[in-house]
């Protein structure tokens, strides 16, 4: 596999942004497709309750892993900035800190998850007829976390130099393994939710092994040597400074989704299953626009490291044009073909009706979510992560929680519940644009 590096500091940007963002988007979409395979397999070959058990875990899993996923964003920024400055020895030291941090993070999540799984699911009002299966799935799933963290952090290192292709190769391999094992464990061995969870653990083991192989065969600047693994505090502190606010933002954002998931759970198993099926498509649309936000972070990091501020402006504008265009195409497509898309997951009419109701309010304005993510992405690339976190929490999380507790009880419907999404996107965009203006002005000075 050819080792590619994108020159982010010179030449035209649009083509490079697309080349970098496309594997990112494909990686996330494929990952979600493979997760959807869990739902599709148990929904088709087991039961709707098994499907609801798998789906009821999604918000909770995102809540737990999002903090450490944010740290991988910090790792990307730190390594990318050192690459932009040409500091090869320092970049290599940072790589070894990143990989060891990934291993430690994965085992922390595994331990915490095993202890708190039944408690957290109970707090989310998961129905009694689903709770036992949901707990079984979650406890097995957490054994995949060390491998998931190695993949996430290792991929962040490769992407810091412009290589977003090889993480995609690793994910495709793991995904194919996951789908095959899903079918074997559920159809042949009748393992149900335990089968799809076990398949997830095994497939993520393979993706982690591939990422480690890539890093151990990298060019000298990023090459991994297990004998050099150690935590170097100056890089760890840099990762925490940028990544911790990003992780906390995602964590609190996921917490608001947990609150919304609890409200969805009150509509019963049909509401849960319909929301779960709809969310899988929504996640795919999000991953496309989020790829441009990640691209903005990486490109901005390298250019910020050498003081190319006008090029940073161009990165943001080009990413925004591409993100909005992609979101409009995907959102309008989902609106017009929602019922057909949801039939992939289930044939139950009530479940499809719930999913279509949610799609009708969240998909067309989805480009707003892309704009909302781009400004914090650019700000993190410039080393400013705390303020965007606070603004996102106020604008997105605050509005959704307020909506749930102040307005939703008087208008109980899935449609009214999900109006909180576009409303929160608009409020957050306004605040992030103002923040970006002042940070940009400060950088120019």
């Amino acid at each position: 596999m050819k080792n590619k590096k994108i020159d982010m500091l010179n030449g035209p940007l649009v083509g490079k942004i697309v080349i970098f963002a496309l594997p990112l988007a494909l990686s996330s979409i494929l990952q979600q497709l493979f997760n959807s395979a869990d739902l599709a397999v148990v929904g088709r070959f087991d039961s709707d309750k098994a499907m609801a058990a798998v789906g009821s875990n999604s918000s909770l899993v995102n809540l737990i892993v999002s903090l450490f996923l944010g740290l991988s964003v910090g790792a990307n920024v730190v390594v990318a900035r050192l690459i932009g400055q040409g500091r090869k020895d320092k970049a290599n030291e940072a790589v070894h800190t990143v990989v060891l941090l990934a291993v430690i993070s994965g085992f922390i999540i595994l331990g915490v998850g095993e202890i708190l799984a039944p408690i957290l699911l109970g707090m989310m009002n998961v129905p009694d007829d689903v709770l036992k299966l949901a707990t079984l799935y979650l406890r097995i799933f957490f054994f995949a976390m060390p491998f998931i963290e190695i993949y996430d952090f290792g991929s962040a290192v490769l992407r810091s130099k412009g290589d977003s292709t090889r993480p995609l190769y690793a994910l495709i391999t793991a995904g194919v393994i996951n789908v095959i094992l899903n079918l074997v464990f559920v159809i042949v061995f009748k393992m149900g939710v335990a089968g799809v969870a076990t398949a997830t653990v095994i497939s993520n083991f393979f993706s982690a092994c591939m990422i480690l192989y890539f890093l151990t065969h990298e060019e000298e600047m990023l090459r991994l040597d297990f004998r050099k693994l150690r935590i170097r505090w100056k890089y760890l502190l840099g990762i925490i400074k940028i990544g911790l606010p990003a992780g906390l933002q995602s964590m609190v954002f996921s917490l608001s989704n947990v609150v919304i998931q609890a409200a969805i759970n009150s509509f019963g198993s049909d509401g849960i299953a319909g929301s779960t099926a709809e969310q899988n498509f929504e996640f795919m649309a999000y991953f496309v626009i989020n790829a441009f936000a990640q691209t903005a972070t990486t490109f901005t990091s390298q250019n910020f490291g050498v003081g190319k501020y006008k090029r940073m402006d161009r990165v943001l504008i080009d990413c925004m044009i591409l993100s909005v265009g992609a979101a409009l195409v995907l959102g309008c497509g989902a609106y017009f073909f929602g019922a057909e898309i949801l039939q992939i997951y289930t044939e139950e009419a009530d479940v499809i009706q719930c999913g279509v109701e949610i799609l009708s309010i969240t998909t067309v304005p989805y480009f707003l979510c892309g704009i909302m993510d781009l400004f914090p992405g650019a700000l993190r690339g410039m080393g400013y992560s705390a303020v965007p976190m606070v603004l996102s929490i106020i604008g997105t999380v605050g509005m959704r929680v307020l909506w749930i507790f102040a307005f939703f009880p008087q208008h109980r419907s899935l449609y009214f519940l999900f109006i909180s999404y576009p409303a929160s996107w608009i409020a957050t965009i306004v605040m992030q644009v103002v923040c970006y203006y002042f940070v940009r002005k400060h950088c120019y000075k």
Side-chain angles (χ1 to χ4, degrees), residues 6 15 23 25 64 142 250 258 260 310 337:
I6 295 176
I64 295 173
F142 275 121
S250 298
V258 169
I260 290 178
K310 290 186 178 180
F337 301 103

Side-chain angles (χ1 to χ4, degrees), residues 377-419:
L379 288 166
R380 291 187 190 108
M382 295 154 63
Y384 294 84
S385 192
V387 175
M389 173 198 71
V390 174
L391 296 180
S392 292
I393 291 174
I394 294 172
T396 304
V397 179
M399 177 163 286
R400 291 182 188 177
V401 172
L402 176 65
W403 195 277
I404 291 293
F405 292 104
F407 306 116
F408 174 66
Q410 284 76 40
H411 307 276
R412 284 187 51 81
S413 70
L414 286 172
Y415 186 89
F416 190 83
L417 175 62
F418 280 89
I419 291 177

Side-chain angles (χ1 to χ4, degrees), residues 66-68 70 243-254 389 393:
S66 55
L67 175 61
F68 296 96
L244 183 59
L248 289 174
Q249 175 184 324
S250 298
M251 193 173 183
V252 177
F253 185 83
S254 297
M389 173 198 71
I393 291 174

Side-chain angles (χ1 to χ4, degrees), residues 51-110:
M51 179 180 172
V54 175
S56 63
N57 278 291
S58 58
S59 296
L60 183 57
V61 169
N62 290 335
L63 173 64
I64 295 173
V65 304
S66 55
L67 175 61
F68 296 96
L69 190 59
L71 289 177
S72 74
V73 173
N76 175 276
V77 172
V78 168
V79 177
R81 188 174 298 174
L82 292 170
I83 292 173
Q85 295 170 347
R87 303 169 68 183
K88 296 183 179 180
D89 292 341
K90 301 298 182 182
N92 188 258
E93 291 178 355
V95 167
H96 288 86
T97 298
V98 167
V99 173
L100 184 55
L101 178 61
V103 175
I104 295 172
S105 301
F107 281 101
I108 289 175
I109 300 174
L110 169 59

Side-chain angles (χ1 to χ4, degrees), residues 39-336:
L39 291 168
V41 170
V42 294
R44 289 280 185 172
F45 301 104
D46 197 315
S47 66
D48 286 337
K49 285 186 174 60
M51 179 180 172
V54 175
S56 63
N57 278 291
S58 58
S59 296
L60 183 57
V61 169
N62 290 335
L63 173 64
I64 295 173
V65 304
S66 55
L67 175 61
F68 296 96
L69 190 59
L71 289 177
S72 74
V73 173
N76 175 276
V77 172
V78 168
V79 177
R81 188 174 298 174
L82 292 170
I83 292 173
Q85 295 170 347
R87 303 169 68 183
K88 296 183 179 180
D89 292 341
K90 301 298 182 182
N92 188 258
E93 291 178 355
V95 167
H96 288 86
T97 298
V98 167
V99 173
L100 184 55
L101 178 61
V103 175
I104 295 172
S105 301
F107 281 101
I108 289 175
I109 300 174
L110 169 59
V112 172
E114 290 298 322
I115 295 171
L116 298 181
I119 299 173
L120 294 173
L121 287 170
M123 292 172 60
M124 290 177 60
N125 298 324
V126 175
D128 292 337
D129 59 344
V130 176
L131 181 59
K132 184 177 180 180
L133 290 175
T135 303
L136 174 63
Y137 175 86
L138 189 59
R139 280 187 154 158
I140 297 173
F141 175 88
F142 275 121
F143 281 95
M145 291 314 306
F147 310 130
I148 292 174
E149 293 306 298
I150 290 172
Y151 173 84
D152 286 339
F153 279 80
S155 297
V157 170
L158 293 174
R159 289 165 183 158
S160 66
K161 71 161 193 174
D163 182 3
S164 57
T165 305
R166 287 185 294 171
L168 175 61
Y169 297 153
L171 188 63
I172 290 173
T173 303
V176 171
I177 293 171
N178 183 49
V179 171
I180 293 173
L181 292 180
N182 275 341
L183 296 171
V184 172
F185 289 157
V186 175
I187 299 176
V188 179
F189 294 106
K190 309 295 183 183
M191 293 174 63
V193 297
V196 295
T198 303
T200 299
V201 175
I202 295 172
S203 60
N204 279 286
F205 168 77
F206 280 95
S207 66
C209 288
M210 290 185 68
I211 288 294
L212 291 176
Y213 175 83
F214 295 150
L215 290 175
T216 54
H217 291 74
E218 254 299 326
E219 58 188 19
E220 185 176 351
M221 179 168 57
L222 299 181
R223 183 178 299 160
L224 175 64
D225 183 344
F226 293 112
R227 296 170 297 180
K228 297 181 180 179
L229 285 176
R230 56 172 289 197
I231 296 294
R232 291 170 173 83
W233 290 102
K234 60 181 177 180
Y235 304 121
L236 178 60
L237 292 176
I239 292 170
I240 292 173
K241 178 184 176 182
I242 299 169
L244 183 59
L248 289 174
Q249 175 184 324
S250 298
M251 193 173 183
V252 177
F253 185 83
S254 297
L255 181 60
S256 72
N257 287 339
V258 169
V259 174
I260 290 178
Q261 184 66 52
I264 295 170
N265 292 345
S266 68
F267 288 95
S269 59
D270 285 344
I272 297 174
S275 173
T276 299
E278 175 275 334
Q279 283 177 1
N280 275 275
F281 177 81
E282 184 180 325
F283 286 153
M284 293 176 198
Y286 172 75
F287 291 141
V288 172
I289 60 177
N290 183 254
F292 291 108
Q294 293 184 57
T295 301
T297 299
T298 305
F299 275 62
T300 301
S301 298
Q302 286 205 16
N303 284 280
F304 182 79
V306 294
K308 292 191 174 184
Y309 301 130
K310 290 186 178 180
R311 189 172 176 84
M312 287 162 41
D313 294 341
R314 191 69 252 173
V315 167
L316 178 62
I317 293 171
D318 289 346
C319 285
M320 187 177 301
I321 293 171
L322 293 167
S323 176
V324 169
L328 285 173
V329 170
L330 291 170
C332 293
Y335 178 77
F336 289 111

